[in-house]
Amino acid sequence: MANSEYEYVRKHETWDALAPENWIVVRIDGRGFSKFTAKHNFTKPNDKRAIDLMNSAATEVLRQLVDITLAYGQSDEYSFIFPPTTTLFDRRASKLATTVATLFTAEYVMQWPTFFPDSPLTRPFPTFDGRCVLYPRREILRDYLSWRQADCHINNLYNTTFWAMVLQGGQSGTEAELELKGTLAADKNEILFKRFGINYNNELEVYKKGSVVYRDLSSSIPSAEEPQSRTQADKERKKKQKATLMVEHVDIIKDAFWEARPWLLAEKARKSR
Amino acid sequence: MANSEYEYVRKHETWDALAPENWIVVRIDGRGFSKFTAKHNFTKPNDKRAIDLMNSAATEVLRQLVDITLAYGQSDEYSFIFPPTTTLFDRRASKLATTVATLFTAEYVMQWPTFFPDSPLTRPFPTFDGRCVLYPRREILRDYLSWRQADCHINNLYNTTFWAMVLQGGQSGTEAELELKGTLAADKNEILFKRFGINYNNELEVYKKGSVVYRDLSSSIPSAEEPQSRTQADKERKKKQKATLMVEHVDIIKDAFWEARPWLLAEKARKSR
Amino acid sequence: MANSEYEYVRKHETWDALAPENWIVVRIDGRGFSKFTAKHNFTKPNDKRAIDLMNSAATEVLRQLVDITLAYGQSDEYSFIFPPTTTLFDRRASKLATTVATLFTAEYVMQWPTFFPDSPLTRPFPTFDGRCVLYPRREILRDYLSWRQADCHINNLYNTTFWAMVLQGGQSGTEAELELKGTLAADKNEILFKRFGINYNNELEVYKKGSVVYRDLSSSIPSAEEPQSRTQADKERKKKQKATLMVEHVDIIKDAFWEARPWLLAEKARKSR
Amino acid sequence: MANSEYEYVRKHETWDALAPENWIVVRIDGRGFSKFTAKHNFTKPNDKRAIDLMNSAATEVLRQLVDITLAYGQSDEYSFIFPPTTTLFDRRASKLATTVATLFTAEYVMQWPTFFPDSPLTRPFPTFDGRCVLYPRREILRDYLSWRQADCHINNLYNTTFWAMVLQGGQSGTEAELELKGTLAADKNEILFKRFGINYNNELEVYKKGSVVYRDLSSSIPSAEEPQSRTQADKERKKKQKATLMVEHVDIIKDAFWEARPWLLAEKARKSR
């Protein structure tokens, strides 16, 4: 057959399965979003419509990929967490990254008119790149999520102060940037409060904490514990599909969030003994 | 700073740059397209609107990523070719695959209403997974493209015959499948001609050959030859941006296509001597 | 300079650092050892000189690479364990694998005359291939070591029975193989005891359990806990260099061995909180 | 069976096959050779015995691994070239690197007494680390080899001058180093000639050019052209095993060497047409 003489080229495809029993994070990031947000006049420092759209798109990704345990988003990025036990796409990195990124992108552009009814999309359309990162232990995964939430806080405090100085204080961007250089959190809080009467603590939680999306399995038995029969796995899949998807803006650095939702970080039980 | 204590998790991100001086193919494939095409009643064996949409989306990808030399598409797949010299995204596999896949997906869903005005998209929206494959020499890259075009021909001949038997011949899908099992090209040509009066040669070239999209640089000096100064590189980039994007349905297995467009397969000249 | 025009080829070298915070196993295996052991008339089922040589070579590898926590060997293989915190050779896989494999090979051939004074080495000289394997959690690392020790037991019981049947029972190799096919451990124990008066439990522990080599740090404070200052790291290195190297033939599947030597499996403490 | 409950750990072993149809270089480097050469009083700038030992060890590696086309060595390093068609060890990187490195190490320490009869090896014994590097095209492979030979020349000219200044000129190492900083080749040639009457051109070729080891297949038909039957492959293997192993100290940067030995750089013919 004519085909077979060329088919040898398939052996150049690499098998990019991710190491087993590691947590998988697929993080997506908006491509060229500074230009994009300017073009569509996002409000500063935060555009509530844009954040709601991000969260709505992420929620839909979780609905379609039941293997995802949890997602955390802030600004134009979102991190999707797959548990160590996942075998989705045989754990192939490129399948995981491109599937999550294209699902998110499709939702983002399709839902856009709902959140921005008066600002139709023009080219270049918004897109998101993505990558897989592995974390060998739940403690390190938590540090990853803490890193993203700490980043959210730091950026938001900076941006809130910067835009108050510019929009309310009438400073130029360059002036504000210069003044903020090297300041600590306390300094920024003081600028906000003294100059603009803004108590940072009263800012919306969604701005200060970002958003965590997860399946509420609180009423069901913990998963991912023991190797399961086919039927058990099917049952569990259905349970996940039916579970309510929660979107919250809460602290995920401290232990409380995780202790109250123990199914989120369950690691595979040891096979032996 | 609060951030730094968690920032160590970044060292888990892997640097996935693809080997230098290899041709890079990013191939995307429609996810779950048998269900999707059924839901939207694609005509069989080929839906011209769907193919036109694929080609239009691919053309837009080339317009936005000038590093892409050429793309070849058929059915629900498209292969985008980056030359050995490309340094786009530092050749990082995940960036390349997710950028191409999300660009294509965004174009596909945004352009959908133009091609399917009467069939609004419903969830799950169409998405495309993607992967990078490396080819060390132009001959092997050509074999890759020949493989895809031979695959297009084989599938199209099969599908054309199968759907003639079902839609015009009134056979059931199972009957047609059974009868076609083990048949050669000549057998299928005969079924088409004798039973249905179809001369396969007269089928549309776009169905038989698929589609090749490329930048017409015929009037400009060959690129990618010698290491260039910044200004030269900028000039060339602009030339590429201005170049007409061609969409053709022609044989890319034989030499003629390539000999007439020598800039498409130019490999980096040897640095030394 | 003449050199620089070619130096670009260096960018083809890949950076093969292993994922951080995973346990690293470097396992080496004798190449072509069935021929080699036949040529040098190793006694069957076990050659005590050969095992002593393996253990002596492994001990020397631990002496020279203080990062190695523990090694386990049986037959013609040895597994060397590096802790999650190791930064030896920047965790580059090829450096780790080739360094351990060549150190072991050099020791094996140099020490050979001590253990086999009457059987000088001839070509092909004994060599060992090697590979790195990552384990994300200590429980999985323990399962790896349990796998090797269970393998040792299974093979040794088989070999002890097989060679008793052949050497003492006068059966041909083929006969013995056929009879042993499908037998359980209990069957083999019975053959040994009933036919040859051998109580398998009385066989040497080194044959039944293999060999574990480790640094005795029982009198020192646990390591690898907290990020250390340079001086602390130096102190600890010296402590490791002075520590006695133990070679034991004991159960490493059950918990007792590990509970008595807690420094062997210490994982990096979480950076945060 | 007891074994199976742990055997799951095998899935953590990664399949590290190198990309097909690329040239494979396995380069080995002496570990800690500045200390080692000092301990054994290697003569400066070159120790002929040490170079002969390197070449003898490399020759033996080629004898045992017939897939190797050619090797190039200088100082304490050696590069072994496998052709794009090699399937040795299924092209697994770790097997290739550790096999070449341990074969070389075993030969080096076993042949040591022949070349250094009066200087028995003491610990740490000499060992060599190794790595695989891929080159997609023969031109780039040649640039790799040119890079190593240019490096040999540059280092040897420097070392010859430096040691003349120290050993004959009575300068201290620091003085010589300082004076040589920033000098060009012409400057060093002049120092050698004017101060010490040394014409660098008259130095031994083995010092100036390094050593290339290859199989002389000049009398046999070129290999690696077409896919072969088993019998053909066996014949060719035997031809290679019988071929004379050449060790030469010649220019491999210019074309002449390669044009006279066309079998060395034969690339796989294209499968199609």
Side-chain angles (χ1 to χ4, degrees):
Chain A
M1 171 120 69
N3 209 17
S4 61
E5 73 178 296
Y6 303 118
E7 211 164 359
Y8 81 94
V9 297
R10 297 190 67 172
K11 68 178 200 258
H12 287 263
E13 301 190 11
T14 50
W15 184 252
D16 62 345
L18 296 166
E21 298 181 74
N22 281 263
W23 294 88
I24 301 171
V25 176
V26 178
R27 187 177 69 240
I28 58 158
D29 284 280
R31 291 185 58 240
F33 258 50
S34 1
K35 270 195 188 173
F36 175 74
T37 59
K39 185 173 69 173
H40 289 283
N41 301 307
F42 280 28
T43 59
K44 297 293 182 182
N46 290 295
D47 190 308
K48 187 65 167 42
R49 301 164 301 172
I51 295 178
D52 290 345
L53 170 53
M54 290 289 289
N55 292 343
S56 182
T59 305
E60 195 55 42
V61 172
L62 263 87
R63 199 185 318 280
Q64 290 189 34
L65 298 177
V66 296
D67 279 48
I68 298 173
T69 299
L70 171 141
Y72 174 77
Q74 56 126 333
S75 182
D76 63 348
E77 73 168 51
Y78 239 101
S79 299
F80 297 88
I81 316 296
F82 294 84
T85 47
T86 194
T87 55
L88 185 65
F89 307 133
D90 296 318
R91 302 176 72 89
R92 274 174 295 161
S94 53
K95 284 281 251 182
L96 288 163
T98 56
T99 297
V100 169
T102 57
L103 272 178
F104 193 92
T105 297
E107 290 293 334
Y108 192 93
V109 299
M110 290 296 287
Q111 296 190 37
W112 174 268
T114 309
F115 294 88
F116 290 86
D118 307 322
S119 183
L121 287 172
T122 56
R123 283 205 181 87
F125 301 136
T127 53
F128 296 81
D129 58 34
R131 67 210 48 73
C132 299
V133 191
L134 291 182
Y135 289 103
R137 288 187 287 284
R138 89 183 76 186
E139 294 77 24
I140 307 176
L141 175 73
R142 275 196 55 190
D143 282 352
Y144 170 80
L145 291 165
S146 297
W147 175 48
R148 299 324 302 143
Q149 191 165 61
D151 189 74
C152 173
H153 165 70
I154 290 165
N155 290 336
N156 189 59
L157 177 55
Y158 181 93
N159 291 337
T160 305
T161 315
F162 175 89
W163 287 106
M165 293 162 78
V166 169
L167 297 178
Q168 300 174 44
Q171 291 186 261
S172 75
T174 321
E175 281 171 4
E177 203 183 326
L178 210 70
E179 190 181 341
L180 287 173
K181 207 168 179 176
T183 56
L184 303 177
D187 303 324
K188 297 190 193 78
N189 276 312
E190 199 177 288
I191 292 173
L192 280 174
F193 192 69
K194 293 235 169 112
R195 293 196 207 164
F196 309 107
I198 297 171
N199 184 339
Y200 184 72
N201 288 333
N202 297 338
E203 293 292 296
L204 287 188
E205 290 300 305
V206 63
Y207 299 157
K208 291 184 296 181
K209 299 281 197 296
S211 304
V212 57
V213 186
Y214 63 92
R215 238 172 283 281
D216 182 8
L217 299 174
S218 53
S219 59
S220 72
I221 4 142
S223 70
E225 278 305 303
E226 277 299 303
Q228 304 166 320
S229 70
R230 259 285 188 190
T231 346
Q232 281 176 302
D234 278 356
K235 258 189 213 166
E236 199 167 305
R237 173 163 291 268
K238 273 178 194 141
K239 202 176 295 163
K240 283 182 187 169
Q241 282 165 338
K242 277 190 237 158
T244 309
L245 283 162
M246 311 295 289
V247 182
E248 299 180 354
H249 318 293
V250 294
D251 182 288
I252 58 170
I253 298 180
K254 299 201 201 82
D255 293 333
F257 176 82
W258 305 101
E259 284 167 2
R261 296 158 188 83
W263 66 89
L264 291 176
L265 291 182
E267 264 174 11
K268 196 183 191 171
R270 195 171 163 201
K271 280 271 178 30
S272 55
R273 275 162 311 158
Chain B
M1 171 119 69
N3 208 17
S4 61
E5 73 178 296
Y6 304 117
E7 210 163 0
Y8 80 94
V9 299
R10 295 191 69 173
K11 68 181 199 255
H12 287 263
E13 301 192 10
T14 49
W15 182 253
D16 62 346
L18 296 167
E21 298 182 75
N22 282 262
W23 294 86
I24 301 172
V25 176
V26 178
R27 187 178 68 240
I28 58 158
D29 284 281
R31 290 185 58 240
F33 258 50
S34 2
K35 270 196 188 172
F36 175 74
T37 60
K39 187 172 69 172
H40 288 284
N41 301 307
F42 280 28
T43 58
K44 296 293 183 182
N46 290 296
D47 190 308
K48 188 63 169 42
R49 302 164 300 173
I51 295 177
D52 289 345
L53 171 52
M54 289 290 289
N55 293 343
S56 183
T59 304
E60 197 53 44
V61 172
L62 263 86
R63 199 183 320 277
Q64 291 188 34
L65 299 177
V66 296
D67 279 48
I68 298 174
T69 299
L70 171 141
Y72 174 77
Q74 56 127 332
S75 183
D76 63 347
E77 74 169 50
Y78 239 101
S79 298
F80 297 89
I81 315 297
F82 293 84
T85 46
T86 193
T87 54
L88 185 66
F89 307 134
D90 297 318
R91 301 176 72 89
R92 274 175 295 161
S94 54
K95 283 281 250 182
L96 287 164
T98 57
T99 297
V100 169
T102 57
L103 271 179
F104 193 91
T105 297
E107 290 293 334
Y108 193 94
V109 301
M110 291 296 287
Q111 296 191 36
W112 175 269
T114 309
F115 294 87
F116 291 85
D118 307 322
S119 183
L121 286 172
T122 56
R123 282 207 183 84
F125 300 137
T127 53
F128 295 82
D129 57 34
R131 69 209 48 72
C132 298
V133 191
L134 291 182
Y135 290 103
R137 289 187 285 285
R138 89 183 76 185
E139 295 76 25
I140 308 177
L141 175 74
R142 276 197 52 190
D143 282 352
Y144 170 80
L145 291 165
S146 297
W147 175 49
R148 299 324 302 142
Q149 190 167 59
D151 189 74
C152 173
H153 164 70
I154 290 165
N155 291 336
N156 189 58
L157 176 56
Y158 182 94
N159 291 337
T160 304
T161 315
F162 175 89
W163 286 106
M165 292 163 79
V166 169
L167 297 178
Q168 300 173 45
Q171 290 186 266
S172 76
T174 321
E175 279 169 6
E177 202 184 327
L178 210 69
E179 190 181 340
L180 287 174
K181 207 170 180 176
T183 54
L184 303 177
D187 303 324
K188 297 190 195 76
N189 275 312
E190 199 177 290
I191 292 174
L192 280 174
F193 193 70
K194 292 237 170 110
R195 293 196 207 163
F196 309 107
I198 297 171
N199 184 340
Y200 184 72
N201 288 333
N202 297 338
E203 293 293 296
L204 287 187
E205 290 301 304
V206 64
Y207 298 157
K208 290 184 296 181
K209 299 280 197 297
S211 304
V212 58
V213 186
Y214 64 94
R215 236 171 286 280
D216 183 8
L217 299 175
S218 53
S219 59
S220 73
I221 4 140
S223 72
E225 278 305 304
E226 276 300 304
Q228 306 166 318
S229 70
R230 261 283 187 191
T231 345
Q232 281 177 302
D234 278 356
K235 258 190 214 164
E236 201 167 305
R237 173 162 294 267
K238 271 175 197 146
K239 202 177 294 163
K240 283 181 187 170
Q241 282 165 339
K242 277 191 236 157
T244 309
L245 284 162
M246 310 295 289
V247 182
E248 299 181 354
H249 318 293
V250 294
D251 183 288
I252 58 170
I253 298 181
K254 299 201 201 82
D255 293 333
F257 175 83
W258 305 101
E259 284 168 1
R261 297 158 188 83
W263 65 89
L264 292 175
L265 291 183
E267 264 175 10
K268 197 182 189 169
R270 196 174 163 197
K271 280 269 179 33
S272 54
R273 277 161 310 158
Chain C
M1 170 121 68
N3 209 17
S4 60
E5 72 178 297
Y6 304 117
E7 211 163 0
Y8 81 93
V9 299
R10 295 191 68 174
K11 68 178 198 254
H12 286 264
E13 301 192 10
T14 50
W15 183 253
D16 62 345
L18 296 166
E21 297 182 77
N22 281 262
W23 295 86
I24 301 171
V25 176
V26 178
R27 187 177 69 239
I28 57 158
D29 284 280
R31 292 185 58 240
F33 259 50
S34 0
K35 269 196 190 172
F36 175 73
T37 59
K39 186 173 70 172
H40 288 284
N41 302 306
F42 279 29
T43 59
K44 296 295 184 179
N46 290 295
D47 190 307
K48 188 62 169 46
R49 301 165 300 173
I51 295 177
D52 290 345
L53 170 53
M54 289 289 289
N55 293 343
S56 182
T59 304
E60 196 54 42
V61 171
L62 263 87
R63 198 183 321 277
Q64 291 189 34
L65 299 177
V66 296
D67 279 48
I68 298 174
T69 299
L70 170 140
Y72 174 76
Q74 56 127 333
S75 182
D76 63 347
E77 72 169 51
Y78 239 100
S79 299
F80 297 88
I81 316 297
F82 293 84
T85 48
T86 193
T87 55
L88 185 64
F89 306 133
D90 296 318
R91 300 177 73 89
R92 274 175 295 162
S94 53
K95 283 282 250 183
L96 287 163
T98 56
T99 298
V100 169
T102 56
L103 272 179
F104 193 92
T105 297
E107 290 293 334
Y108 193 93
V109 300
M110 291 295 288
Q111 296 191 37
W112 174 269
T114 311
F115 293 87
F116 290 86
D118 306 323
S119 182
L121 287 172
T122 56
R123 282 205 182 87
F125 300 136
T127 54
F128 296 81
D129 57 35
R131 67 209 48 72
C132 298
V133 191
L134 291 183
Y135 289 103
R137 289 187 285 285
R138 88 183 77 186
E139 295 75 24
I140 308 176
L141 175 74
R142 276 196 54 190
D143 282 352
Y144 170 80
L145 291 165
S146 297
W147 175 49
R148 300 323 303 143
Q149 189 165 62
D151 189 74
C152 173
H153 165 71
I154 290 166
N155 290 336
N156 190 57
L157 177 55
Y158 182 94
N159 291 336
T160 305
T161 315
F162 175 89
W163 286 105
M165 292 163 79
V166 169
L167 297 178
Q168 299 174 43
Q171 290 184 265
S172 76
T174 321
E175 280 170 4
E177 203 183 326
L178 209 72
E179 190 181 340
L180 286 175
K181 206 169 180 177
T183 55
L184 303 177
D187 303 324
K188 296 191 195 75
N189 275 311
E190 199 177 289
I191 292 173
L192 280 175
F193 193 70
K194 293 237 169 110
R195 294 196 206 164
F196 309 107
I198 297 172
N199 184 338
Y200 183 73
N201 288 332
N202 297 338
E203 293 293 296
L204 286 187
E205 289 301 304
V206 63
Y207 299 157
K208 291 184 297 182
K209 298 282 197 296
S211 305
V212 56
V213 186
Y214 63 93
R215 238 172 284 280
D216 183 8
L217 299 175
S218 53
S219 59
S220 73
I221 2 138
S223 72
E225 279 304 305
E226 277 299 304
Q228 303 167 321
S229 69
R230 260 284 187 189
T231 346
Q232 281 177 301
D234 278 356
K235 259 190 211 163
E236 200 168 304
R237 173 162 292 268
K238 274 179 194 140
K239 202 177 294 163
K240 282 182 187 168
Q241 282 165 338
K242 277 191 235 156
T244 309
L245 284 162
M246 311 294 290
V247 183
E248 298 181 356
H249 318 294
V250 295
D251 183 288
I252 60 170
I253 298 180
K254 298 201 201 83
D255 293 333
F257 176 82
W258 305 100
E259 285 168 1
R261 296 159 188 83
W263 66 88
L264 291 176
L265 291 183
E267 264 175 11
K268 198 181 189 170
R270 195 173 162 198
K271 280 270 177 32
S272 55
R273 277 163 309 162
Chain D
M1 171 121 67
N3 208 18
S4 61
E5 74 178 296
Y6 302 118
E7 211 163 359
Y8 81 93
V9 299
R10 295 191 68 172
K11 69 178 198 257
H12 286 264
E13 301 191 10
T14 50
W15 183 253
D16 63 345
L18 296 166
E21 297 182 75
N22 280 263
W23 294 86
I24 302 171
V25 175
V26 178
R27 187 178 68 241
I28 59 160
D29 285 279
R31 291 185 57 241
F33 259 50
S34 1
K35 270 196 188 172
F36 175 73
T37 58
K39 187 173 71 172
H40 288 284
N41 301 307
F42 280 28
T43 58
K44 295 293 182 183
N46 291 294
D47 189 306
K48 188 63 167 45
R49 301 164 300 171
I51 295 177
D52 290 344
L53 170 52
M54 289 290 288
N55 293 343
S56 182
T59 305
E60 196 55 43
V61 171
L62 263 87
R63 199 185 320 279
Q64 290 189 34
L65 299 177
V66 297
D67 279 48
I68 298 173
T69 299
L70 170 140
Y72 174 77
Q74 57 127 330
S75 182
D76 63 348
E77 73 169 51
Y78 239 101
S79 298
F80 297 88
I81 316 297
F82 294 84
T85 47
T86 193
T87 55
L88 185 65
F89 307 134
D90 297 317
R91 301 176 73 90
R92 275 176 293 162
S94 54
K95 283 282 251 184
L96 287 163
T98 56
T99 297
V100 168
T102 57
L103 272 179
F104 193 91
T105 298
E107 290 292 334
Y108 193 93
V109 300
M110 290 296 287
Q111 295 190 37
W112 174 268
T114 310
F115 294 87
F116 290 86
D118 307 323
S119 183
L121 287 172
T122 57
R123 280 203 183 87
F125 300 137
T127 54
F128 296 81
D129 57 34
R131 69 210 46 73
C132 298
V133 191
L134 291 183
Y135 289 103
R137 288 188 286 284
R138 89 183 76 185
E139 294 76 25
I140 308 176
L141 175 74
R142 275 197 54 190
D143 281 352
Y144 170 80
L145 291 165
S146 297
W147 176 48
R148 299 323 303 143
Q149 190 166 61
D151 189 74
C152 172
H153 164 70
I154 290 165
N155 290 336
N156 189 60
L157 176 57
Y158 182 93
N159 291 336
T160 305
T161 316
F162 176 89
W163 287 105
M165 291 163 79
V166 169
L167 297 178
Q168 299 173 44
Q171 291 185 264
S172 75
T174 321
E175 281 170 3
E177 203 183 326
L178 210 70
E179 190 181 340
L180 287 175
K181 207 168 179 177
T183 55
L184 303 176
D187 303 324
K188 296 189 194 79
N189 276 311
E190 199 177 290
I191 292 174
L192 281 174
F193 192 70
K194 292 235 171 112
R195 293 197 208 163
F196 309 107
I198 298 172
N199 184 339
Y200 183 71
N201 289 333
N202 297 338
E203 293 293 296
L204 287 188
E205 290 300 306
V206 63
Y207 299 157
K208 292 184 295 181
K209 299 281 197 297
S211 304
V212 57
V213 186
Y214 64 92
R215 237 172 284 281
D216 183 7
L217 298 175
S218 53
S219 59
S220 72
I221 3 142
S223 71
E225 278 304 302
E226 276 300 302
Q228 305 165 319
S229 69
R230 260 286 189 189
T231 346
Q232 281 177 302
D234 278 356
K235 259 189 211 164
E236 199 169 304
R237 174 162 292 268
K238 271 177 194 142
K239 203 177 295 165
K240 282 182 187 170
Q241 282 165 339
K242 276 189 234 157
T244 309
L245 284 162
M246 311 295 289
V247 183
E248 299 181 354
H249 319 293
V250 293
D251 183 286
I252 59 170
I253 298 181
K254 299 201 201 82
D255 293 333
F257 175 82
W258 305 101
E259 284 168 0
R261 296 158 188 83
W263 65 90
L264 291 176
L265 289 183
E267 263 175 10
K268 197 183 190 169
R270 196 173 162 198
K271 280 268 178 34
S272 54
R273 280 162 306 160

